[in-house]
């Protein structure tokens, strides 16, 4: 059996590691440093605007299921209203159960688990009268929402 000195073995490992890193960097290097263009917003007949930021690969949501989502809500000027990510507290609600604003309910029912969307919800889809010191009934709401999980509410 041939034995290798520790220094030859060490240099061989360093060389393999270095070549591996170079290969990884070359294969993951984007063709352009510019971020991919975001798709244009689409509109529903009700006035909800949405665009998919990341496709979901899980099951399709439907009325009667419980949805678990993370969301951020902002006003047009960028003022943060809600951020469930920073609170580390996702929201669970019954789809079609009048537990969230209509715009959110419509959007999530069109999503798949894992999907990430950006929404523009007009006042007509956010049945509210006031939200003290944050926004009023005429404010359009801007969301980023990700559908984390769907479940059967009877289980």
């Amino acid at each position: 059996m041939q034995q290798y000195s520790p220094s030859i073995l060490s240099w061989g490992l360093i060389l393999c590691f270095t070549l591996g890193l170079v290969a990884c960097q070359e294969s993951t290097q984007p063709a352009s440093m510019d971020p991919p263009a975001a798709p244009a917003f689409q509109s529903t007949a009700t006035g909800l605007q949405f665009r998919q930021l990341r496709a979901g690969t899980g099951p399709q949501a439907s009325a009667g299921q419980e949805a678990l989502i993370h969301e951020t809500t902002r006003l047009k000027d960028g003022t943060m209203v809600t951020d469930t990510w920073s609170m580390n507290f996702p929201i669970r609600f019954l789809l079609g159960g009048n537990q969230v604003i209509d715009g959110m309910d419509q959007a999530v029912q069109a999503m798949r688990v894992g999907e990430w969307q950006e929404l523009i919800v007009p006042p007509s889809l956010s049945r509210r009268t006031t939200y003290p010191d944050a926004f009023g009934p005429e404010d359009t709401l801007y969301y980023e929402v990700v559908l984390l999980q769907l479940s059967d509410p009877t289980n």
Side-chain angles (χ1 to χ4, degrees):
M1 173 186 281
Q2 186 174 3
Q3 291 187 335
Y4 296 98
S5 71
S7 62
I8 292 174
L9 186 58
S10 297
W11 280 109
L13 289 173
I14 290 170
L15 181 60
C16 288
F17 180 74
T18 303
L19 290 174
L21 284 178
V22 169
C24 286
Q25 288 175 349
E26 288 176 4
S27 66
T28 60
Q29 187 75 5
S32 167
M33 295 306 290
D34 297 328
F41 277 95
Q42 299 177 46
S43 295
T44 66
T46 60
L48 173 67
Q49 295 180 57
F50 65 95
R51 66 178 170 189
Q52 186 182 73
L53 301 177
R54 185 179 70 204
T57 58
Q60 175 74 43
S62 63
Q65 293 178 306
E66 277 188 343
L68 184 67
I69 64 167
H70 260 306
E71 69 171 28
T72 58
T73 310
R74 297 180 191 273
L75 300 178
K76 186 174 185 172
D77 66 4
T79 301
M80 181 69 70
V81 176
T82 315
D83 182 359
T84 64
W85 291 100
S86 66
M87 296 184 298
N88 196 26
F89 193 77
I91 297 170
R92 183 177 301 278
F93 63 95
L94 180 66
L95 288 166
N98 290 325
Q99 295 178 347
V100 294
I101 63 170
D102 291 341
M104 180 62 70
D105 204 37
Q106 286 178 22
V108 173
Q109 285 187 56
M111 294 172 70
R112 292 186 167 281
V113 171
E115 188 169 339
W116 196 306
Q117 286 194 2
E118 190 172 6
L119 311 174
I120 301 175
V121 181
S124 61
L125 293 177
S126 58
R127 61 178 189 284
R128 64 194 191 286
T129 54
T130 62
Y131 193 93
D133 301 324
F135 61 91
E138 277 81 48
D139 285 319
T140 296
L141 302 177
Y142 297 79
Y143 287 91
E144 278 192 26
V145 60
V146 61
L147 178 56
L148 302 171
Q149 181 182 24
L150 293 169
S151 58
D152 181 355
T154 59
N155 290 339

